[in-house]
Amino acid sequence: MTIYAISLRTIQKGHWIPRERRSRGQEPFNSRCLKMHSEMKKVYDEVIARDPNQPEFHQSVEEVLQSLGPVIDAHPDYLPAVKSVVEPERIIQFRVPWYDDEGNFHVNRGFRIQMNGAIGPYKGGLRFHPSVNQSILKFLAFEQVFKNSLTGLPLGGGKGGSDFNPKGRTESEVRRFCQSFMMELWRHIGANLDVPAGDIGVGRREVGFLFGMYRKLANEFTGVLTGKGLSYGGSLIRPEATGYGTVYFAREMLSTQNKSFEGAKVAVSGSGNVAQFAVEKVIDLGGKPVTLSDSSGFIHDSDGIDREKLAWVMDLKNVRRGRIKEYAEHFGCDYTETKPEPNLNGLWGTDVDIALPCATQNEINGEEAQMLVENGCIAVAEGANMPCTPEAVECFHENGLLFAPGKASNAGGVATSGLEMSQNSLRLNWTREEVDRRLEEIMVNIHRNAVDTASKYGMEGNYVAGANIAGFLKVAEAMEAQGHI
């Protein structure tokens, strides 16, 4: 585990400094503590003291608290909400026993973090991946609180999942695992309590298995999960929503500088659901996507990924569950294998105008951000959750790039999950055009809210501060009204 110290620069810009870099003359946190709002520092110190071994959670909390000093100066009565919002309302951990096809017995850990329900039922995905632990899920749940608030929909924040790895498992093994997972989770969720969705490792197949077991156990058909198939309560546009929404937000951000996707070269990381539909929407807007990746490596197609190639990728990843290397072999483009050393992803060294990181957290570090800067990139919008490290974010800000944090730019997924919940409650199915129209409207409103809020608090053009403050204010108002319970 990396141990972090924080420099003066960190306090001013929300930027983590690994301990091994102290030799560069950067001072540790305690000697510069007054550079952060004193009340925010106290809250942050309490978070570190309570959970010292949760670096991902610390990173997400530090970024938000760094933005809230001006809010507390203007609204000191919101300080109790700050102290409460960093602590989950409930953490549920349980064992998940299951048998593989050979009859071998396995036990995985299951989690659900119900972070904050002040403005509505907990809402957030389930992630099945070997890296899943409390720190990662708390960071995701904490981000989800502000993301859901920004959508304008009545949704609280939560996250969950398991350290189970569905890769390489047969469909029957995945089904048995999902059913065992839901046998415990079902008692903690409900349409008016907590509505999970998919995330990494949990697609429509897994959601179907989970929903089927919930229906059997609860003996009711209700909208307790989102991302469902269309035949049993799902919404059109839900698979596309996170990718589409990211591009809609980036389009709005570019328009503030009279720029657009038309003719732009775009780097997209990942090759799953978010990346696929980000590529699709970029094509719709006249851009040229040139990269995709998975855990094995990345492809660079200088001719651009067109609709025919994208359809091939969707079949590769969604049906055949293959590796992105096969794209390079099939279409004859460049492929670079991921190597542990040096720990730099060459995908971000490609010559592009816009970057859409859509893979996973902390996938762009400071050096990779500098690679984008040097190649003339003008905008970065996060399609994944916190894919840019604080070093990367600082680099983007210092070099004048437009930067959209994930809690704003990838909120389209949960926004459309909220629309799916509405359709389930009404027993209606909206058309594709209607859902897409509502999604686009939500993303435009999130962008406007972030811009206006940043300007109001003296941080014009800072989408990170604008999104953090705007998301917090709605939650804080609700928490204060409810007595901070």
Side-chain angles (χ1 to χ4, degrees), residues 322-376:
R323 310 304 292 167
I324 200 64
K325 181 179 181 179
E326 297 174 45
Y327 177 102
E329 295 169 349
H330 185 79
F331 292 106
C333 69
D334 294 335
Y335 172 77
T336 303
E337 185 178 348
T338 299
K339 296 179 181 179
E341 296 295 340
N343 188 24
L344 290 176
N345 187 348
L347 184 154
W348 307 116
T350 54
D351 179 18
V352 296
D353 304 298
I354 300 164
L356 304 177
C358 297
T360 190
Q361 69 268 10
N362 291 330
E363 60 171 299
I364 302 181
N365 62 27
E367 293 175 85
E368 290 158 343
Q370 188 60 40
M371 289 158 60
L372 285 168
V373 170
E374 291 172 358
N375 278 307

Side-chain angles (χ1 to χ4, degrees), residues 68 118-119 155 284 286 318 377 429 440 453 457 466:
L68 298 185
I119 62 174
L155 302 171
D284 289 346
N318 305 340
C377 183
N429 289 103
E440 184 175 7
T453 303
Y457 285 90

Side-chain angles (χ1 to χ4, degrees), residues 83 99 169 171 239 342 466:
K83 294 179 178 180
Y99 286 91
R169 292 295 178 183
E171 184 158 311

Side-chain angles (χ1 to χ4, degrees), residues 223-235:
V224 72
L225 284 154
T226 56
K228 300 186 294 297
L230 293 176
S231 62
Y232 59 100
S235 174

Side-chain angles (χ1 to χ4, degrees), residues 242-367:
T242 305
Y244 279 16
T246 299
V247 177
Y248 285 144
F249 191 97
R251 180 198 65 191
E252 294 301 300
M253 191 167 61
L254 288 164
S255 71
T256 65
Q257 295 189 2
N258 298 315
K259 294 181 171 64
S260 73
F261 275 97
E262 188 66 39
K265 290 178 289 185
V266 184
V268 180
S269 66
S271 52
N273 185 66
V274 180
Q276 291 170 19
F277 290 110
V279 166
E280 182 171 276
K281 186 54 66 175
V282 167
I283 295 171
D284 289 346
L285 297 181
K288 184 167 82 169
V290 295
T291 68
L292 284 170
S293 68
D294 58 23
S295 58
S296 298
F298 74 93
I299 59 103
H300 179 217
D301 187 343
S302 58
D303 293 331
I305 302 168
D306 58 21
R307 296 187 192 280
E308 180 184 347
K309 292 175 179 177
L310 177 59
W312 194 91
V313 170
M314 289 180 171
D315 178 72
L316 171 72
K317 286 295 182 179
N318 305 340
V319 179
R320 292 184 281 135
R321 300 187 183 274
R323 310 304 292 167
I324 200 64
K325 181 179 181 179
E326 297 174 45
Y327 177 102
E329 295 169 349
H330 185 79
F331 292 106
C333 69
D334 294 335
Y335 172 77
T336 303
E337 185 178 348
T338 299
K339 296 179 181 179
E341 296 295 340
N343 188 24
L344 290 176
N345 187 348
L347 184 154
W348 307 116
T350 54
D351 179 18
V352 296
D353 304 298
I354 300 164
L356 304 177
C358 297
T360 190
Q361 69 268 10
N362 291 330
E363 60 171 299
I364 302 181
N365 62 27
E367 293 175 85

Side-chain angles (χ1 to χ4, degrees), residues 178-222:
C178 289
Q179 291 172 341
S180 181
F181 183 88
M182 185 54 76
M183 286 181 70
E184 175 59 34
L185 183 65
W186 80 277
R187 69 192 76 234
H188 305 293
I189 62 176
N192 295 306
L193 170 62
D194 185 348
V195 184
D199 194 77
I200 293 173
V202 180
R204 182 165 293 184
R205 175 186 66 173
E206 289 77 15
V207 169
F209 293 152
L210 292 164
F211 181 78
M213 180 54 75
Y214 178 86
R215 187 175 61 82
K216 183 177 182 68
L217 293 166
N219 195 29
E220 64 174 5
F221 193 107
T222 184

